[in-house]
Amino acid sequence: MSLKKKLIVLNTTIMLGLGSAFAIPSVKAESITDIQSQRTGIQSDISEAEQVIQQLKKEQSKMNAQIAQIESAMKENDQKIKDTKQEINDTEKDIESLKKEIKALEERIAKREEVLKERALSFQESGGDVEYLEVVLGSKSFGEFVNRVGAVATIVEADQQILSEQEADKADLEKKQATVEKKLQSLKDMEVELKGMQSQIEDQKAETVNMKAKIEKKESETEALKQSLVNKDAGLEAQIASIRENIKKEEERKASEKADLDRAAEEVNSSNASSEGSSSSSSEESSSSSKGEASVKSSSKAESSSNSSKNSSDKPAAASKPAASKTVTSSKPSSANTGSAITAGYKYIGNSTYKFGGGRTASDIANGLFDCSAFVAWAYKQAGVNLPASTDALKNAGRQVSDSQKQPGDLVFFNTYKTDGHVGIYVGGGKFIGSQSSTGVAIANMDSGYWAGVYNGRVVRVN
């Protein structure tokens, strides 16, 4: 092969070699950019998953606190039921004792009636009644007359005393019966109400436990998703490292090949300088050598451009901006009074305990001990409005409006252990504030969950 052909082949090989040496890293740099873009998206998903997990943990903590409150309320209610049952047992014992007293009284009354019958018989004559006057006038002497008058007076007085004692015993008996029966009925009513309330609390606990289980499941699924994303991100990071390592090795191999080609070119040029050839051949060889150098310079520029592109591709993508926070608005109260009634109870949220029959003394109010109706009455009293402290009375404390027209400050009713067994103050947005048996004073959602199921649609607007 002639020297000219060797130089042409050599230059062609150099150009092809250098072209491939820098084209491959450029392609791989683009792959790194794509993978890095994927990593940016995955890392953003990981960040979102972590935020979801944190929110779920907060909700779970809230559920745990709510369950603890419910269990505390159940424990207190259980104790009240036990105490009430004990009172019922004691009252039933009192009734047994009273029955014995009644029996003794009845025996005394029977004996008195026998005495009266005997006395009546002693004055009967020929099947007819003998008047006291006849007894007195039938005396045969003055002494007998005096004796008969005294006897009649004594008998009359004794009879009147017996009758008086008998009437007193009967009145006492009736009074005791009425008192004990009233007490027993009151205790039985309280037992029914407490049992109904306990059932309500158990339903709330079951719902809360179910919600907690759902949150735990969602948290577990989110943790699994996060771990999957972390694993995928680690895989992509390893892939990038592998590509960079391959690029480095490819660059080193091509640099070695380039060095070999440069040495070969130098050897050819050296051979050309010592050979005997024509001036035209020398001119052509010089021209070929100049082209080879120009080609090498061009390749060096390409390498510099490729490295610049690689450095640019390795820069991390800009972090996405956080989503704007959502503004929540609440409905305005229907009047200044209702607004004051709503806000009055806020200080007891998280600082109160439900107490059956509570909220009717200064001590209970100071310690945040309310039942539902007493809380409503107290809240409105802070707004200068006097309301009764029972659900039955509160139903008629204003005018009834339809559910679709309810406004903040209206009273809303729920069928818990009985019809209209619970009452609260509507605050807007499908929520109400009230003293709940499981939480004390709190704001609850009446559009979903337990309260949505027991809300009966009764709405009363306070006059």
Side-chain angles (χ1 to χ4, degrees):
M1 182 183 289
S2 66
L3 185 59
K4 182 177 180 181
K5 287 184 177 180
K6 285 182 179 180
L7 287 172
I8 292 171
V9 171
L10 183 60
N11 286 331
T12 302
T13 302
I14 292 171
M15 292 300 295
L16 290 173
L18 291 176
S20 63
F22 295 105
I24 292 173
S26 177
V27 172
K28 289 183 177 179
E30 291 176 0
S31 298
I32 290 174
T33 301
D34 292 339
I35 294 171
Q36 190 64 52
S37 177
Q38 291 181 47
R39 283 195 69 196
T40 300
I42 289 173
Q43 287 168 354
S44 176
D45 291 342
I46 291 172
S47 178
E48 289 180 5
E50 287 174 344
Q51 290 176 4
V52 170
I53 290 169
Q54 290 301 317
Q55 183 62 33
L56 290 173
K57 286 184 182 295
K58 288 180 181 178
E59 290 181 14
Q60 188 174 348
S61 177
K62 186 177 179 181
M63 289 294 105
N64 287 334
Q66 190 170 345
I67 289 172
Q69 283 185 321
I70 290 173
E71 288 175 344
S72 176
M74 289 178 67
K75 184 177 179 181
E76 184 177 343
N77 213 50
D78 274 335
Q79 187 59 47
K80 286 180 180 178
I81 290 173
K82 288 178 182 178
D83 294 342
T84 303
K85 284 182 176 178
Q86 184 60 46
E87 283 192 63
I88 290 173
N89 290 336
D90 293 341
T91 304
E92 287 175 345
K93 288 179 182 178
D94 291 342
I95 290 173
E96 288 300 320
S97 177
L98 183 61
K99 284 180 179 178
K100 291 179 181 178
E101 292 181 21
I102 289 171
K103 187 175 181 181
L105 284 171
E106 287 175 344
E107 289 175 356
R108 287 202 299 271
I109 290 170
K111 287 180 181 179
R112 289 168 185 162
E113 287 177 348
E114 287 298 322
V115 170
L116 290 173
K117 285 180 182 178
E118 289 175 1
R119 289 178 178 173
L121 288 172
S122 67
F123 286 100
Q124 286 180 351
E125 188 175 291
S126 301
D129 295 335
V130 177
E131 299 292 340
Y132 288 140
L133 182 59
E134 292 177 357
V135 172
V136 172
L137 295 178
S139 57
K140 295 179 180 180
S141 66
F142 181 78
E144 186 180 357
F145 174 82
V146 172
N147 289 336
R148 287 192 179 192
V149 169
V152 167
T154 301
I155 291 170
V156 170
E157 185 178 352
D159 289 348
Q160 287 178 344
Q161 184 176 352
I162 289 172
L163 290 171
S164 177
E165 288 176 355
Q166 189 157 312
E167 289 298 325
D169 285 344
K170 284 183 178 179
D172 185 50
L173 180 61
E174 290 172 355
K175 184 177 180 182
K176 285 183 178 180
Q177 281 182 320
T179 300
V180 174
E181 286 173 359
K182 183 177 180 181
K183 181 179 179 182
L184 182 61
Q185 187 59 48
S186 175
L187 289 169
K188 287 183 176 179
D189 290 344
M190 183 183 292
E191 183 183 25
V192 170
E193 193 160 353
L194 288 170
K195 285 182 177 178
M197 192 180 300
Q198 188 74 344
S199 176
Q200 173 191 346
I201 295 172
E202 287 171 355
D203 289 344
Q204 288 180 330
K205 181 182 178 182
E207 183 182 353
T208 305
V209 169
N210 185 43
M211 287 176 63
K212 182 186 175 185
K214 288 180 180 179
I215 289 172
E216 288 175 345
K217 182 181 178 182
K218 189 174 180 181
E219 182 181 353
S220 177
E221 291 172 351
T222 308
E223 285 280 8
L225 174 61
K226 176 192 170 185
Q227 190 57 49
S228 174
L229 292 169
V230 168
N231 293 340
K232 188 174 181 180
D233 182 62
L236 291 173
E237 186 179 20
Q239 189 176 346
I240 290 174
S242 176
I243 291 173
R244 284 176 175 165
E245 183 64 22
N246 290 337
I247 289 174
K248 182 180 178 182
K249 289 179 178 178
E250 187 73 6
E251 287 174 346
E252 289 174 351
R253 185 180 68 80
K254 294 302 179 181
S256 177
E257 289 178 355
K258 176 179 177 295
D260 292 339
L261 292 172
D262 286 341
R263 281 195 297 273
E266 287 176 2
E267 289 174 1
V268 170
N269 289 332
S270 179
S271 296
N272 182 44
S274 60
S275 66
E276 296 178 357
S278 63
S279 60
S280 61
S281 295
S282 297
S283 176
E284 287 174 2
E285 289 171 1
S286 176
S287 176
S288 286
S289 178
S290 297
K291 289 178 180 179
E293 291 174 0
S295 177
V296 170
K297 289 180 180 179
S298 174
S299 297
S300 297
K301 289 181 179 180
E303 180 179 0
S304 175
S305 174
S306 176
N307 288 337
S308 175
S309 174
K310 172 175 169 289
N311 291 336
S312 175
S313 68
D314 286 345
K315 290 182 180 179
S320 60
K321 293 182 179 178
S325 61
K326 188 175 181 180
T327 302
V328 178
T329 59
S330 59
S331 304
K332 288 185 176 180
S334 58
S335 71
N337 283 346
T338 56
S340 300
I342 292 170
T343 56
Y346 283 178
K347 69 176 182 179
Y348 283 117
I349 295 176
N351 299 309
S352 64
T353 303
Y354 182 91
K355 178 183 178 183
F356 179 73
R360 292 162 176 82
T361 65
S363 176
D364 280 356
I365 293 171
N367 290 286
L369 304 175
F370 293 96
D371 63 13
C372 62
S373 54
F375 171 75
V376 170
W378 173 85
Y380 260 97
K381 189 172 183 180
Q382 309 316 299
V385 179
N386 291 323
L387 293 180
S390 73
T391 53
D392 288 339
L394 286 170
K395 287 190 299 187
N396 302 310
R399 62 185 179 89
Q400 295 196 23
V401 298
S402 66
D403 175 67
S404 61
Q405 294 178 329
K406 65 179 179 291
Q407 298 176 359
D410 290 344
L411 307 186
V412 287
F413 292 79
F414 305 83
N415 294 343
T416 51
Y417 64 92
K418 66 176 184 178
T419 301
D420 298 317
H422 188 71
V423 64
I425 303 173
Y426 186 64
V427 298
K431 296 180 180 180
F432 74 98
I433 186 171
S435 182
Q436 276 65 267
S437 56
S438 58
T439 60
V441 176
I443 293 177
N445 192 336
M446 57 189 286
D447 284 347
S448 64
Y450 173 80
W451 293 111
V454 296
Y455 174 53
N456 62 18
R458 185 188 297 279
V459 182
V460 173
R461 184 156 300 160
V462 177
N463 294 328

